[in-house]
């Protein structure tokens, strides 16, 4: 491998992660355009993506060295992905978008805590500083945690952040022994099964939407899920889950920018100030690499 090829190989996970972050940030736009129940949105998002991933997974060879623990981690990741989407999207019905984004963006904190509880080392001062900057920036962008009365929605969003943290860790553990396509097939398959089972049990409306909603659901599956979350998954094969989690906190800033450009929602000084802190946290975390 030539020096230039080696540099491109090392840079690839960071490029993919940046593209994934931009794609995931479109999820809020698609959600705003989709006139459907939150649980149905989550189910269609993962279900449509599975239609693309599953054939690739079924036709891919399976590595003989993948252990039962690796498959268990893939199943656990899929279950946590379903919990993440179900709780976060549902939180928007009970609390404001600002508070929901703030609480769901706490996943880097939970990753650091879960890694430490799992026997990992104490996060470095640089990592802790990056976390503090990123979460503080998310708090400013989201309007802080002032106000009250919407504790149930806040709790749902917080559960979504915790579920995503667990998802990052399970995904990294599973992919250490599994091919990327095989992992996606299992994780997305389990997530879709859990979400669609919830739709059926709860009697949630899942069909009969207008054309704009169907286009929004298709866009969410193609862009936010296949490009965005799949990009996160591929990055986790090469990068620390905590680093990926810190970068993912940039989603509120990008979502705000996209909302301004595509939907005409103004970006105020709070968003600009908080965005600078989030970008500073991402840069500080990236300097470790």
């Amino acid at each position: 491998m030539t020096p230039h090829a080696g540099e491109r190989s090392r840079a690839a996970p960071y490029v993919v992660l940046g593209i994934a972050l931009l794609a995931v940030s479109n999820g809020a736009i698609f959600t705003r355009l989709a006139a459907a129940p939150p649980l149905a949105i989550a189910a269609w998002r993962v279900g449509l993506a599975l239609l693309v991933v599953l054939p690739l997974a079924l036709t891919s060879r399976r590595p003989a060295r993948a252990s039962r623990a690796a498959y268990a981690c893939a199943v656990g990741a899929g279950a946590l992905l379903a919990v993440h989407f179900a709780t976060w999207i549902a939180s928007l019905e009970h609390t404001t978008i600002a508070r929901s984004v703030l609480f769901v963006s706490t996943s880097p904190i939970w990753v650091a805590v879960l890694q430490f509880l799992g026997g990992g080392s104490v996060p470095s001062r640089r990592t802790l500083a990056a976390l503090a900057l990123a979460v503080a920036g998310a708090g400013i962008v989201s309007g802080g945690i002032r106000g009250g009365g919407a504790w149930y929605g806040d709790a749902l969003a917080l559960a979504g952040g915790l579920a995503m943290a667990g998802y990052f860790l399970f995904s990294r553990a599973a992919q250490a022994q599994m091919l990327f396509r095989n992992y996606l097939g299992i994780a997305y398959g389990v997530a879709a099964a859990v979400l669609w089972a919830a739709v059926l049990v709860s009697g949630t409306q899942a069909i009969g939407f207008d054309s704009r909603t169907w286009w929004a659901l298709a866009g969410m599956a193609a862009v936010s899920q296949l490009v965005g979350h799949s990009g996160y998954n591929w990055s986790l094969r090469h990068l620390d889950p905590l680093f990926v989690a810190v970068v993912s906190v940039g989603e509120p800033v990008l979502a705000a920018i996209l909302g301004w450009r595509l939907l005409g929602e103004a970006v105020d000084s709070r968003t600009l100030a908080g965005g600078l802190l989030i970008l500073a946290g991402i840069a500080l975390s990236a300097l470790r690499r």
Side-chain angles (χ1 to χ4, degrees):
M1 181 181 293
T2 65
H4 290 294
E7 291 175 1
R8 288 195 297 269
S9 178
R10 289 191 296 270
Y14 301 98
V15 174
V16 171
L17 182 58
I19 295 173
L21 175 61
L22 180 60
V24 168
S25 299
N26 282 275
I29 304 299
F30 290 124
T31 300
R32 180 67 63 84
L33 296 175
L39 190 57
I41 292 175
W44 278 113
R45 170 175 178 160
V46 182
L48 290 175
L50 180 63
L51 294 179
V52 177
V53 170
L54 190 57
L56 298 176
L58 293 177
T59 57
S60 173
R61 63 182 179 86
R62 297 184 179 183
R65 64 188 182 91
S67 64
R68 291 182 179 179
Y71 285 105
C73 286
V75 171
L80 287 173
L81 185 63
V83 172
H84 165 72
F85 285 135
T87 53
W88 173 57
I89 295 177
S91 74
L92 296 173
E93 288 198 332
H94 303 280
T95 189
T96 64
I97 293 177
R99 293 172 68 97
S100 175
V101 170
L102 170 64
F103 284 108
V104 83
S105 295
T106 58
S107 58
I109 297 176
W110 297 119
V111 169
V113 171
L114 291 174
Q115 283 184 327
F116 174 69
L117 294 177
S121 59
V122 177
S124 67
R125 292 181 179 179
R126 184 187 297 272
T127 298
L128 292 175
L131 285 171
L133 285 172
V135 174
I140 293 176
V141 170
S142 303
I145 57 175
R146 297 188 301 274
W151 63 269
Y152 182 63
D154 296 343
L156 286 173
L158 189 62
L162 178 57
M164 181 51 66
Y167 173 79
F168 282 143
L169 296 176
F170 273 127
S171 177
R172 177 62 182 270
Q175 293 189 77
Q177 298 184 31
M178 300 179 67
L179 293 177
F180 180 57
R181 288 183 291 178
N182 291 338
Y183 164 76
L184 280 188
I186 295 174
Y188 284 10
V190 170
V194 171
L195 288 169
W196 278 107
V199 167
L200 294 175
V201 170
S202 63
T204 300
Q205 179 190 0
I207 57 175
F209 306 129
D210 58 30
S211 59
R212 189 181 77 167
T213 295
W214 286 118
W215 279 112
L217 293 174
M220 187 180 300
V223 178
S224 303
Q225 193 64 35
L226 286 174
V227 177
H229 272 270
S230 297
Y232 277 165
N233 284 313
W234 189 84
S235 299
L236 286 166
R237 299 176 68 89
H238 309 278
L239 302 173
D240 189 321
L242 181 56
F243 175 70
V244 176
V246 171
V247 172
S248 71
V249 178
E251 181 182 345
V253 176
L254 292 180
I257 294 174
L258 290 171
W260 168 56
R261 293 291 298 174
L262 300 178
L263 301 178
E265 296 185 1
V267 178
D268 56 21
S269 58
R270 183 188 296 276
T271 300
L272 294 176
L276 290 176
L277 284 179
I278 292 174
L279 293 176
I282 293 174
L284 185 61
S285 179
L287 286 176
R288 294 179 56 209
R289 275 73 189 168

